[in-house]
Amino acid sequence: MDRRRRAASALAAACALTCALTVLATTAANVAVAPPAHAAPSPAPGGPREADGTRKKSLEDVRAEIEGLYRQAGAATDAYNLAEEQAEKQSAEIARLSRAIADGRTRIDRLRQRAGAAARAQYRSGGIPEEARLVLTDDPQLFLDGAGRLVQGQKATRDLLAELERRQQDLETYTQDAGTEWNRLEQHRSAQQEARKHIDEKIAAAEKLESRLAAEERTRLRELEQRDRQRQQTAWLESGALKEINRAASPQGRDAIAFATAQIGKPYVWGAEGPDSYDCSGLTQRAWGTAGRGIPRTSQEQWRLLPRVAVKDMRPGDLIIYYADATHVGMYIGDGSMVHAPRPGRDVTVAGAGSMPILGVVRPDK
């Protein structure tokens, strides 16, 4: 039976090899007759052309491309903020472990001093063990008193040695943990640097695209952006989303809204948490922190960790998470509106709550 299986396996392998060689040969033949890589692309039918013959992008195409780049920068910003938050936690943990290590060393030194004092006391007594001196006494009372002290002394010695061993084990554990935390810190710093590079690249690409436009085209671009947001908001309202959204904000929610709306007009800066600029999740975190409720730093962590509520149950102060990858967040302020920090090149502003694709809603004070 095993012989037949091995034969079947060998046959299958031979067939696979033959197929692979056939595919490679076909691919090579195709490559041989393929046009050179530098050949000019075939011009697209219809519409204006660039100098190289390719179809000229419409302003709407440029708008979509710029928005896509900024969305990618937003996702990288979330990764940067999360890595920064984790690095801060790691740094705090390393500091705590360093204090524990220093404290452990101090305690071990004290225990060793006590052990040394006991050894010196025995040496001064002539090196005769307490048990021997107890046996040699002729005084019954001294014998009883000595026996009690001997039992206590033996217990104290055992406790001292046991504590010394525990402290040494703790010190080894703290040292190992500190090494682990340091490695994690380095990983998070590396993730930060990679995210920072990605953010800068995407923002630079978007700004380059926009800089190529004439002044009137940039104005038109802004109008297209606002029109698209209004279209999405109108569709959201017409869906009946606001029919059941009539709840009042909690006291903490009112405080969070007051803080967030007071930041209107301040610029978006990725990674910023105020007071002069914000990114989207930096604004919501600081607003709820000011209201006395600590929440995660990134929109993705806010979506993952905060209690969720249905859109129909939304109330002012709740956070609306946008896009399938949870890379944007705004704070609902009532009447179908929210306040948010949109993207680089824009300021904190009020916008329609349905002007972007809603992933869901979370409530920090639920």
Side-chain angles (χ1 to χ4, degrees), residues 147-166:
R149 288 195 304 273
L150 177 61
V151 171
Q152 292 175 355
Q154 288 175 337
K155 183 179 183 304
T157 300
R158 288 194 301 271
D159 291 347
L160 178 63
L161 293 175
E163 185 177 358
L164 180 59
E165 184 178 358
R166 282 197 305 273

Side-chain angles (χ1 to χ4, degrees), residues 18-30:
T18 301
C19 292
L21 290 173
T22 302
V23 170
L24 287 173
T26 303
T27 302
N30 290 337

Side-chain angles (χ1 to χ4, degrees), residues 251-321:
Q252 281 185 309
R254 288 195 295 271
D255 291 342
I257 292 171
F259 179 90
T261 52
Q263 312 312 308
I264 291 173
K266 294 183 178 181
Y268 177 106
V269 174
W270 69 264
E273 304 172 357
D276 300 321
S277 57
Y278 298 88
D279 63 20
C280 66
S281 56
L283 176 65
T284 54
Q285 185 197 43
R286 183 56 61 91
W288 271 101
T290 302
R293 195 79 170 186
I295 64 173
R297 173 62 180 88
T298 72
S299 57
Q300 291 175 337
E301 290 294 281
Q302 289 169 7
W303 172 244
R304 188 173 71 88
L305 298 174
L306 295 178
R308 299 179 186 180
V309 296
V311 173
K312 66 182 181 62
D313 296 325
M314 184 166 58
R315 71 187 186 192
D318 289 347
L319 304 182
I320 307 175
I321 309 298

Side-chain angles (χ1 to χ4, degrees), residues 66-81 189-207 268 270 300 325 327 344:
I66 289 174
E67 183 172 322
L69 288 167
Y70 278 126
R71 280 208 55 217
Q72 291 176 51
T77 298
D78 243 25
Y80 176 90
N81 289 335
R189 283 176 174 166
S190 177
Q192 274 183 281
Q193 292 173 357
E194 186 63 28
R196 178 189 289 273
K197 178 182 176 183
H198 194 64
I199 294 164
D200 291 338
E201 287 175 351
K202 296 304 177 183
I203 291 177
E207 289 175 344
Y268 177 106
W270 69 264
Q300 291 175 337
D325 54 0
T327 50

